[in-house]
Amino acid sequence: MGKIVAISNQKGGVGKTTTAINLSSGLSYMQKKVLLVDLDSQGNASTGLSAIKEQGQPTIYSVLFDGVNIQQAIVHLQAPSIDILPANLTLAGADLLMNEIPNKELILKNVLDPIKHLYDYIIIDCPPSLGLLNTNALSAADSVLIPVQCEYYALEGVTQLLMTIRLVQKTSNPNLKIEGLVMTMYDVRTKLSMEVCQDVRQTFEKLVYQTNISRNIKLSEAPSRGVSIFEYDINSSGAKSYGDLTKEFVKRNEGSYGE
Ligand code: ADP
Ligand code: MG
């Protein structure tokens, strides 16, 4: 049975999408069957992996609100070899629409549960807000992975996210776990990165992944080519970071590197 992992932090620009794309790709290179769900109306995960092929193609919006079968909206990618449920700007109105539907927290769960068994991991790239879309992701998920940018005020927002997680645990999803925190955009040259990292580790201890994602320009270039960091530049520090993160993720989940 697949495990659903929501990548969430209501702060924008902290590395959610970069982590969603490259963790999904890393997992596929470890022979895992992966579905990446784009839950952000900016559609960055979709365009970043060239999953938008034509205008009017079915997206997650069509599945959530127009009754389109999820299999018709899923795009099968070759390199990286993952499946993706794409999103585009139409999703911007989702919070309002969801509000009108009974069991509004469970709309995403209801479309993902029937296909969960087809995958080892389902990774959800969450939007930068704590609205209903995010609640839907947390209600569908088995765990939450929280990217934290190495900068001042890194933890701003994380406290709020943790409160939201607790609320979801009390209401729609008692089994929701915290997968961990991942420090992103780590710059070895700055004292700040080191200090922020130490601070977060002191607060959250073992919940923080050992792997820090280094700041690497190649990670920001890869989406413009529509590929993950592993196809774009396998020798980059970004590829090393996400390779290590993937191994740590699999080790934490499966007790071995799966190699
Ligand atoms: P979010 O999804 O949380 O809004 P993104 O993953 O889109 O964040 O990242 C925000 C911006 O920072 C993007 O332009 C992305 O390419 C860039 N970025 C993300 N992680 C890194 C990194 N480790 N090194 C350099 N640039 C990064
Ligand atoms: Mg994003």
mmCIF file of all heavy atoms in Angstrom, residues 7 9-22 40 42 44 125-128 147 149 183-186 213-223 238 241-242, ligand 1:
data_model
loop_
_atom_site.group_PDB
_atom_site.id
_atom_site.type_symbol
_atom_site.label_atom_id
_atom_site.label_comp_id
_atom_site.label_asym_id
_atom_site.label_seq_id
_atom_site.Cartn_x
_atom_site.Cartn_y
_atom_site.Cartn_z
ATOM 1 N N ILE A 7 4.081 17.466 1.287
ATOM 2 C CA ILE A 7 5.201 18.382 1.507
ATOM 3 C C ILE A 7 4.607 19.756 1.733
ATOM 4 O O ILE A 7 4.061 20.370 0.813
ATOM 5 C CB ILE A 7 6.162 18.346 0.307
ATOM 6 C CG1 ILE A 7 6.637 16.901 0.138
ATOM 7 C CG2 ILE A 7 7.310 19.326 0.515
ATOM 8 C CD1 ILE A 7 7.791 16.706 -0.750
ATOM 9 N N ASN A 9 4.378 23.620 3.947
ATOM 10 C CA ASN A 9 4.846 24.754 4.746
ATOM 11 C C ASN A 9 4.140 25.938 4.116
ATOM 12 O O ASN A 9 4.250 26.145 2.900
ATOM 13 C CB ASN A 9 6.375 24.912 4.633
ATOM 14 C CG ASN A 9 6.903 26.027 5.535
ATOM 15 O OD1 ASN A 9 6.187 26.984 5.851
ATOM 16 N ND2 ASN A 9 8.153 25.921 5.937
ATOM 17 N N GLN A 10 3.379 26.680 4.905
ATOM 18 C CA GLN A 10 2.560 27.725 4.278
ATOM 19 C C GLN A 10 3.374 28.901 3.782
ATOM 20 O O GLN A 10 2.862 29.772 3.093
ATOM 21 C CB GLN A 10 1.434 28.185 5.201
ATOM 22 C CG GLN A 10 1.859 29.105 6.305
ATOM 23 C CD GLN A 10 2.317 28.322 7.535
ATOM 24 O OE1 GLN A 10 2.812 27.199 7.419
ATOM 25 N NE2 GLN A 10 2.161 28.894 8.687
ATOM 26 N N LYS A 11 4.678 28.913 4.167
ATOM 27 C CA LYS A 11 5.543 29.962 3.633
ATOM 28 C C LYS A 11 5.880 29.630 2.176
ATOM 29 O O LYS A 11 6.174 28.475 1.856
ATOM 30 C CB LYS A 11 6.842 29.988 4.433
ATOM 31 C CG LYS A 11 6.980 31.211 5.330
ATOM 32 C CD LYS A 11 8.308 31.206 6.010
ATOM 33 C CE LYS A 11 8.898 32.590 6.011
ATOM 34 N NZ LYS A 11 10.149 32.656 6.752
ATOM 35 N N GLY A 12 5.855 30.630 1.325
ATOM 36 C CA GLY A 12 6.247 30.403 -0.064
ATOM 37 C C GLY A 12 7.763 30.463 -0.199
ATOM 38 O O GLY A 12 8.444 31.064 0.627
ATOM 39 N N GLY A 13 8.283 29.817 -1.225
ATOM 40 C CA GLY A 13 9.706 29.934 -1.546
ATOM 41 C C GLY A 13 10.654 29.228 -0.607
ATOM 42 O O GLY A 13 11.833 29.555 -0.538
ATOM 43 N N VAL A 14 10.174 28.227 0.136
ATOM 44 C CA VAL A 14 11.058 27.538 1.079
ATOM 45 C C VAL A 14 11.631 26.229 0.512
ATOM 46 O O VAL A 14 12.455 25.586 1.145
ATOM 47 C CB VAL A 14 10.350 27.226 2.424
ATOM 48 C CG1 VAL A 14 9.908 28.507 3.113
ATOM 49 C CG2 VAL A 14 9.159 26.289 2.214
ATOM 50 N N GLY A 15 11.173 25.862 -0.696
ATOM 51 C CA GLY A 15 11.703 24.643 -1.321
ATOM 52 C C GLY A 15 10.736 23.472 -1.352
ATOM 53 O O GLY A 15 11.155 22.330 -1.577
ATOM 54 N N LYS A 16 9.444 23.735 -1.174
ATOM 55 C CA LYS A 16 8.458 22.643 -1.230
ATOM 56 C C LYS A 16 8.484 21.961 -2.601
ATOM 57 O O LYS A 16 8.620 20.750 -2.709
ATOM 58 C CB LYS A 16 7.023 23.167 -1.002
ATOM 59 C CG LYS A 16 6.710 23.571 0.414
ATOM 60 C CD LYS A 16 5.261 24.014 0.551
ATOM 61 C CE LYS A 16 4.965 25.308 -0.170
ATOM 62 N NZ LYS A 16 5.665 26.489 0.349
ATOM 63 N N THR A 17 8.309 22.776 -3.649
ATOM 64 C CA THR A 17 8.189 22.202 -4.990
ATOM 65 C C THR A 17 9.496 21.545 -5.426
ATOM 66 O O THR A 17 9.490 20.449 -6.005
ATOM 67 C CB THR A 17 7.756 23.292 -5.988
ATOM 68 O OG1 THR A 17 6.494 23.825 -5.546
ATOM 69 C CG2 THR A 17 7.608 22.734 -7.383
ATOM 70 N N THR A 18 10.614 22.203 -5.120
ATOM 71 C CA THR A 18 11.919 21.640 -5.477
ATOM 72 C C THR A 18 12.099 20.287 -4.795
ATOM 73 O O THR A 18 12.590 19.319 -5.401
ATOM 74 C CB THR A 18 13.031 22.626 -5.059
ATOM 75 O OG1 THR A 18 12.738 23.904 -5.634
ATOM 76 C CG2 THR A 18 14.397 22.158 -5.535
ATOM 77 N N THR A 19 11.663 20.202 -3.537
ATOM 78 C CA THR A 19 11.774 18.940 -2.804
ATOM 79 C C THR A 19 10.794 17.901 -3.362
ATOM 80 O O THR A 19 11.152 16.731 -3.525
ATOM 81 C CB THR A 19 11.511 19.178 -1.292
ATOM 82 O OG1 THR A 19 12.492 20.106 -0.822
ATOM 83 C CG2 THR A 19 11.603 17.891 -0.501
ATOM 84 N N ALA A 20 9.575 18.338 -3.690
ATOM 85 C CA ALA A 20 8.582 17.395 -4.223
ATOM 86 C C ALA A 20 9.089 16.778 -5.528
ATOM 87 O O ALA A 20 9.037 15.557 -5.728
ATOM 88 C CB ALA A 20 7.249 18.108 -4.449
ATOM 89 N N ILE A 21 9.593 17.622 -6.427
ATOM 90 C CA ILE A 21 10.083 17.145 -7.729
ATOM 91 C C ILE A 21 11.273 16.195 -7.553
ATOM 92 O O ILE A 21 11.302 15.097 -8.120
ATOM 93 C CB ILE A 21 10.522 18.340 -8.620
ATOM 94 C CG1 ILE A 21 9.292 19.126 -9.106
ATOM 95 C CG2 ILE A 21 11.382 17.876 -9.786
ATOM 96 C CD1 ILE A 21 9.636 20.346 -9.961
ATOM 97 N N ASN A 22 12.233 16.620 -6.756
ATOM 98 C CA ASN A 22 13.487 15.860 -6.724
ATOM 99 C C ASN A 22 13.444 14.653 -5.792
ATOM 100 O O ASN A 22 14.128 13.657 -6.043
ATOM 101 C CB ASN A 22 14.649 16.805 -6.415
ATOM 102 C CG ASN A 22 14.844 17.789 -7.558
ATOM 103 O OD1 ASN A 22 15.073 17.387 -8.704
ATOM 104 N ND2 ASN A 22 14.714 19.077 -7.268
ATOM 105 N N ASP A 40 -0.837 22.854 -6.122
ATOM 106 C CA ASP A 40 -0.644 24.302 -6.092
ATOM 107 C C ASP A 40 -1.085 24.896 -7.429
ATOM 108 O O ASP A 40 -0.654 24.427 -8.483
ATOM 109 C CB ASP A 40 0.844 24.605 -5.832
ATOM 110 C CG ASP A 40 1.106 26.089 -5.641
ATOM 111 O OD1 ASP A 40 0.159 26.909 -5.773
ATOM 112 O OD2 ASP A 40 2.263 26.441 -5.361
ATOM 113 N N GLN A 42 -0.182 27.377 -8.831
ATOM 114 C CA GLN A 42 0.939 27.897 -9.626
ATOM 115 C C GLN A 42 1.472 26.831 -10.573
ATOM 116 O O GLN A 42 2.164 27.151 -11.538
ATOM 117 C CB GLN A 42 2.052 28.390 -8.710
ATOM 118 C CG GLN A 42 1.661 29.603 -7.887
ATOM 119 C CD GLN A 42 2.746 29.993 -6.898
ATOM 120 O OE1 GLN A 42 3.755 30.574 -7.265
ATOM 121 N NE2 GLN A 42 2.534 29.644 -5.645
ATOM 122 N N ASN A 44 3.838 24.749 -10.438
ATOM 123 C CA ASN A 44 5.291 24.710 -10.655
ATOM 124 C C ASN A 44 5.846 23.289 -10.772
ATOM 125 O O ASN A 44 6.779 23.044 -11.534
ATOM 126 C CB ASN A 44 6.032 25.439 -9.527
ATOM 127 C CG ASN A 44 5.775 26.932 -9.550
ATOM 128 O OD1 ASN A 44 5.385 27.489 -10.582
ATOM 129 N ND2 ASN A 44 5.980 27.597 -8.437
ATOM 130 N N ASP A 125 2.638 18.026 -3.457
ATOM 131 C CA ASP A 125 3.263 19.355 -3.389
ATOM 132 C C ASP A 125 2.178 20.356 -2.989
ATOM 133 O O ASP A 125 1.307 20.696 -3.784
ATOM 134 C CB ASP A 125 3.860 19.716 -4.757
ATOM 135 C CG ASP A 125 4.599 21.046 -4.715
ATOM 136 O OD1 ASP A 125 5.031 21.453 -3.619
ATOM 137 O OD2 ASP A 125 4.739 21.682 -5.782
ATOM 138 N N CYS A 126 2.229 20.830 -1.742
ATOM 139 C CA CYS A 126 1.157 21.671 -1.192
ATOM 140 C C CYS A 126 1.315 23.143 -1.576
ATOM 141 O O CYS A 126 2.409 23.605 -1.865
ATOM 142 C CB CYS A 126 1.140 21.550 0.327
ATOM 143 S SG CYS A 126 0.615 19.926 0.892
ATOM 144 N N PRO A 127 0.197 23.869 -1.541
ATOM 145 C CA PRO A 127 0.248 25.305 -1.836
ATOM 146 C C PRO A 127 0.788 26.090 -0.637
ATOM 147 O O PRO A 127 0.782 25.574 0.483
ATOM 148 C CB PRO A 127 -1.226 25.658 -2.068
ATOM 149 C CG PRO A 127 -1.986 24.666 -1.258
ATOM 150 C CD PRO A 127 -1.174 23.401 -1.253
ATOM 151 N N PRO A 128 1.237 27.329 -0.859
ATOM 152 C CA PRO A 128 1.776 28.134 0.240
ATOM 153 C C PRO A 128 0.675 28.818 1.047
ATOM 154 O O PRO A 128 0.612 30.046 1.103
ATOM 155 C CB PRO A 128 2.663 29.159 -0.479
ATOM 156 C CG PRO A 128 2.045 29.303 -1.815
ATOM 157 C CD PRO A 128 1.384 27.990 -2.144
ATOM 158 N N PRO A 147 9.686 21.335 4.597
ATOM 159 C CA PRO A 147 10.935 21.996 4.229
ATOM 160 C C PRO A 147 11.058 23.310 5.004
ATOM 161 O O PRO A 147 10.095 24.061 5.116
ATOM 162 C CB PRO A 147 10.776 22.299 2.728
ATOM 163 C CG PRO A 147 9.563 21.559 2.283
ATOM 164 C CD PRO A 147 8.708 21.391 3.508
ATOM 165 N N GLN A 149 13.526 26.686 5.279
ATOM 166 C CA GLN A 149 14.635 27.389 4.628
ATOM 167 C C GLN A 149 15.613 27.893 5.686
ATOM 168 O O GLN A 149 15.212 28.409 6.727
ATOM 169 C CB GLN A 149 14.084 28.560 3.818
ATOM 170 C CG GLN A 149 15.138 29.187 2.927
ATOM 171 C CD GLN A 149 14.569 30.338 2.101
ATOM 172 O OE1 GLN A 149 13.359 30.505 2.001
ATOM 173 N NE2 GLN A 149 15.460 31.120 1.530
ATOM 174 N N MET A 183 16.062 20.864 6.127
ATOM 175 C CA MET A 183 16.661 22.190 5.992
ATOM 176 C C MET A 183 17.056 22.408 4.529
ATOM 177 O O MET A 183 17.796 21.609 3.955
ATOM 178 C CB MET A 183 17.905 22.306 6.883
ATOM 179 C CG MET A 183 17.653 21.988 8.349
ATOM 180 S SD MET A 183 16.354 22.983 9.107
ATOM 181 C CE MET A 183 16.965 24.638 8.869
ATOM 182 N N THR A 184 16.525 23.470 3.926
ATOM 183 C CA THR A 184 16.786 23.710 2.497
ATOM 184 C C THR A 184 17.619 24.974 2.287
ATOM 185 O O THR A 184 17.691 25.835 3.166
ATOM 186 C CB THR A 184 15.460 23.883 1.726
ATOM 187 O OG1 THR A 184 14.781 25.029 2.232
ATOM 188 C CG2 THR A 184 14.563 22.662 1.863
ATOM 189 N N MET A 185 18.198 25.057 1.100
ATOM 190 C CA MET A 185 19.006 26.220 0.688
ATOM 191 C C MET A 185 20.118 26.501 1.691
ATOM 192 O O MET A 185 20.407 27.641 2.033
ATOM 193 C CB MET A 185 18.111 27.451 0.475
ATOM 194 C CG MET A 185 17.064 27.170 -0.614
ATOM 195 S SD MET A 185 16.069 28.594 -1.009
ATOM 196 C CE MET A 185 14.442 27.829 -1.073
ATOM 197 N N TYR A 186 20.738 25.438 2.135
ATOM 198 C CA TYR A 186 21.843 25.518 3.085
ATOM 199 C C TYR A 186 23.079 26.025 2.358
ATOM 200 O O TYR A 186 23.479 25.473 1.335
ATOM 201 C CB TYR A 186 22.110 24.129 3.681
ATOM 202 C CG TYR A 186 23.106 24.109 4.800
ATOM 203 C CD1 TYR A 186 22.696 24.263 6.116
ATOM 204 C CD2 TYR A 186 24.462 23.931 4.541
ATOM 205 C CE1 TYR A 186 23.619 24.246 7.147
ATOM 206 C CE2 TYR A 186 25.389 23.915 5.572
ATOM 207 C CZ TYR A 186 24.956 24.070 6.874
ATOM 208 O OH TYR A 186 25.852 24.056 7.903
ATOM 209 N N ILE A 213 19.808 20.306 2.436
ATOM 210 C CA ILE A 213 19.806 20.555 0.993
ATOM 211 C C ILE A 213 20.628 21.822 0.735
ATOM 212 O O ILE A 213 20.273 22.909 1.201
ATOM 213 C CB ILE A 213 18.369 20.758 0.462
ATOM 214 C CG1 ILE A 213 17.485 19.543 0.795
ATOM 215 C CG2 ILE A 213 18.410 21.035 -1.049
ATOM 216 C CD1 ILE A 213 17.929 18.222 0.210
ATOM 217 N N SER A 214 21.730 21.663 0.001
ATOM 218 C CA SER A 214 22.590 22.828 -0.218
ATOM 219 C C SER A 214 21.953 23.803 -1.207
ATOM 220 O O SER A 214 21.134 23.413 -2.046
ATOM 221 C CB SER A 214 23.969 22.389 -0.714
ATOM 222 O OG SER A 214 23.816 21.663 -1.896
ATOM 223 N N ARG A 215 22.329 25.061 -1.060
ATOM 224 C CA ARG A 215 21.895 26.059 -2.044
ATOM 225 C C ARG A 215 22.699 25.813 -3.314
ATOM 226 O O ARG A 215 23.927 25.760 -3.278
ATOM 227 C CB ARG A 215 22.153 27.466 -1.508
ATOM 228 C CG ARG A 215 21.665 28.555 -2.425
ATOM 229 C CD ARG A 215 21.866 29.910 -1.798
ATOM 230 N NE ARG A 215 20.806 30.264 -0.862
ATOM 231 C CZ ARG A 215 19.587 30.683 -1.221
ATOM 232 N NH1 ARG A 215 19.268 30.785 -2.499
ATOM 233 N NH2 ARG A 215 18.698 31.000 -0.314
ATOM 234 N N ASN A 216 22.036 25.593 -4.426
ATOM 235 C CA ASN A 216 22.723 25.258 -5.663
ATOM 236 C C ASN A 216 21.910 25.793 -6.839
ATOM 237 O O ASN A 216 20.746 25.424 -7.026
ATOM 238 C CB ASN A 216 22.884 23.727 -5.751
ATOM 239 C CG ASN A 216 23.539 23.248 -7.026
ATOM 240 O OD1 ASN A 216 23.197 22.205 -7.554
ATOM 241 N ND2 ASN A 216 24.489 24.014 -7.547
ATOM 242 N N ILE A 217 22.539 26.640 -7.628
ATOM 243 C CA ILE A 217 21.863 27.305 -8.741
ATOM 244 C C ILE A 217 21.244 26.293 -9.708
ATOM 245 O O ILE A 217 20.186 26.534 -10.299
ATOM 246 C CB ILE A 217 22.845 28.263 -9.474
ATOM 247 C CG1 ILE A 217 22.166 29.077 -10.562
ATOM 248 C CG2 ILE A 217 24.040 27.540 -10.038
ATOM 249 C CD1 ILE A 217 21.539 30.338 -10.054
ATOM 250 N N LYS A 218 21.878 25.125 -9.837
ATOM 251 C CA LYS A 218 21.375 24.106 -10.779
ATOM 252 C C LYS A 218 19.960 23.653 -10.393
ATOM 253 O O LYS A 218 19.166 23.290 -11.252
ATOM 254 C CB LYS A 218 22.283 22.874 -10.784
ATOM 255 C CG LYS A 218 23.726 23.178 -11.085
ATOM 256 C CD LYS A 218 23.992 23.210 -12.564
ATOM 257 C CE LYS A 218 25.461 23.506 -12.823
ATOM 258 N NZ LYS A 218 25.830 23.517 -14.199
ATOM 259 N N LEU A 219 19.682 23.682 -9.097
ATOM 260 C CA LEU A 219 18.340 23.282 -8.644
ATOM 261 C C LEU A 219 17.283 24.263 -9.137
ATOM 262 O O LEU A 219 16.137 23.892 -9.386
ATOM 263 C CB LEU A 219 18.290 23.194 -7.111
ATOM 264 C CG LEU A 219 18.929 21.953 -6.491
ATOM 265 C CD1 LEU A 219 19.085 22.128 -4.986
ATOM 266 C CD2 LEU A 219 18.115 20.701 -6.799
ATOM 267 N N SER A 220 17.669 25.529 -9.277
ATOM 268 C CA SER A 220 16.691 26.513 -9.763
ATOM 269 C C SER A 220 16.654 26.551 -11.291
ATOM 270 O O SER A 220 15.684 27.033 -11.879
ATOM 271 C CB SER A 220 16.992 27.897 -9.184
ATOM 272 O OG SER A 220 18.300 28.281 -9.470
ATOM 273 N N GLU A 221 17.687 26.015 -11.941
ATOM 274 C CA GLU A 221 17.705 25.989 -13.416
ATOM 275 C C GLU A 221 16.950 24.796 -13.998
ATOM 276 O O GLU A 221 16.308 24.900 -15.050
ATOM 277 C CB GLU A 221 19.156 25.933 -13.924
ATOM 278 C CG GLU A 221 19.939 27.204 -13.678
ATOM 279 C CD GLU A 221 21.433 27.031 -13.964
ATOM 280 O OE1 GLU A 221 21.877 25.891 -14.269
ATOM 281 O OE2 GLU A 221 22.165 28.031 -13.858
ATOM 282 N N ALA A 222 17.016 23.670 -13.293
ATOM 283 C CA ALA A 222 16.454 22.415 -13.838
ATOM 284 C C ALA A 222 14.989 22.547 -14.284
ATOM 285 O O ALA A 222 14.633 22.044 -15.364
ATOM 286 C CB ALA A 222 16.614 21.283 -12.825
ATOM 287 N N PRO A 223 14.119 23.242 -13.496
ATOM 288 C CA PRO A 223 12.705 23.321 -13.923
ATOM 289 C C PRO A 223 12.508 23.975 -15.289
ATOM 290 O O PRO A 223 11.569 23.629 -16.015
ATOM 291 C CB PRO A 223 12.052 24.167 -12.822
ATOM 292 C CG PRO A 223 12.928 24.000 -11.629
ATOM 293 C CD PRO A 223 14.317 23.863 -12.172
ATOM 294 N N GLY A 238 23.378 19.913 -5.858
ATOM 295 C CA GLY A 238 21.936 19.740 -5.683
ATOM 296 C C GLY A 238 21.523 18.281 -5.864
ATOM 297 O O GLY A 238 20.696 17.754 -5.112
ATOM 298 N N SER A 241 22.641 16.407 -2.835
ATOM 299 C CA SER A 241 21.749 16.672 -1.701
ATOM 300 C C SER A 241 20.471 15.845 -1.804
ATOM 301 O O SER A 241 20.062 15.179 -0.853
ATOM 302 C CB SER A 241 21.333 18.144 -1.665
ATOM 303 O OG SER A 241 22.403 18.966 -1.307
ATOM 304 N N TYR A 242 19.807 15.922 -2.963
ATOM 305 C CA TYR A 242 18.533 15.211 -3.084
ATOM 306 C C TYR A 242 18.716 13.699 -3.173
ATOM 307 O O TYR A 242 17.831 12.942 -2.775
ATOM 308 C CB TYR A 242 17.687 15.796 -4.232
ATOM 309 C CG TYR A 242 16.936 17.026 -3.738
ATOM 310 C CD1 TYR A 242 17.328 18.307 -4.109
ATOM 311 C CD2 TYR A 242 15.866 16.897 -2.854
ATOM 312 C CE1 TYR A 242 16.671 19.439 -3.615
ATOM 313 C CE2 TYR A 242 15.201 18.010 -2.358
ATOM 314 C CZ TYR A 242 15.601 19.271 -2.745
ATOM 315 O OH TYR A 242 14.951 20.367 -2.239
HETATM 316 P P1 ADP B 1 8.044 26.635 -2.671
HETATM 317 O O1 ADP B 1 7.456 25.525 -3.471
HETATM 318 O O2 ADP B 1 8.116 26.351 -1.208
HETATM 319 O O3 ADP B 1 7.399 27.953 -2.965
HETATM 320 P P2 ADP B 1 10.330 26.377 -4.446
HETATM 321 O O4 ADP B 1 10.756 24.956 -4.390
HETATM 322 O O5 ADP B 1 9.517 26.790 -5.632
HETATM 323 O O6 ADP B 1 9.596 26.790 -3.114
HETATM 324 O O7 ADP B 1 11.634 27.277 -4.346
HETATM 325 C C1 ADP B 1 11.592 28.685 -4.407
HETATM 326 C C2 ADP B 1 12.683 29.195 -5.357
HETATM 327 O O8 ADP B 1 13.962 28.836 -4.838
HETATM 328 C C3 ADP B 1 12.603 28.568 -6.735
HETATM 329 O O9 ADP B 1 13.010 29.500 -7.689
HETATM 330 C C4 ADP B 1 13.606 27.417 -6.664
HETATM 331 O O10 ADP B 1 14.137 27.106 -7.930
HETATM 332 C C5 ADP B 1 14.654 27.977 -5.743
HETATM 333 N N1 ADP B 1 15.295 26.922 -4.928
HETATM 334 C C6 ADP B 1 14.682 25.992 -4.175
HETATM 335 N N2 ADP B 1 15.579 25.227 -3.534
HETATM 336 C C7 ADP B 1 16.805 25.692 -3.903
HETATM 337 C C8 ADP B 1 18.158 25.320 -3.558
HETATM 338 N N3 ADP B 1 18.430 24.324 -2.717
HETATM 339 N N4 ADP B 1 19.170 26.031 -4.128
HETATM 340 C C9 ADP B 1 18.912 27.058 -4.970
HETATM 341 N N5 ADP B 1 17.676 27.443 -5.326
HETATM 342 C C10 ADP B 1 16.619 26.787 -4.796
#
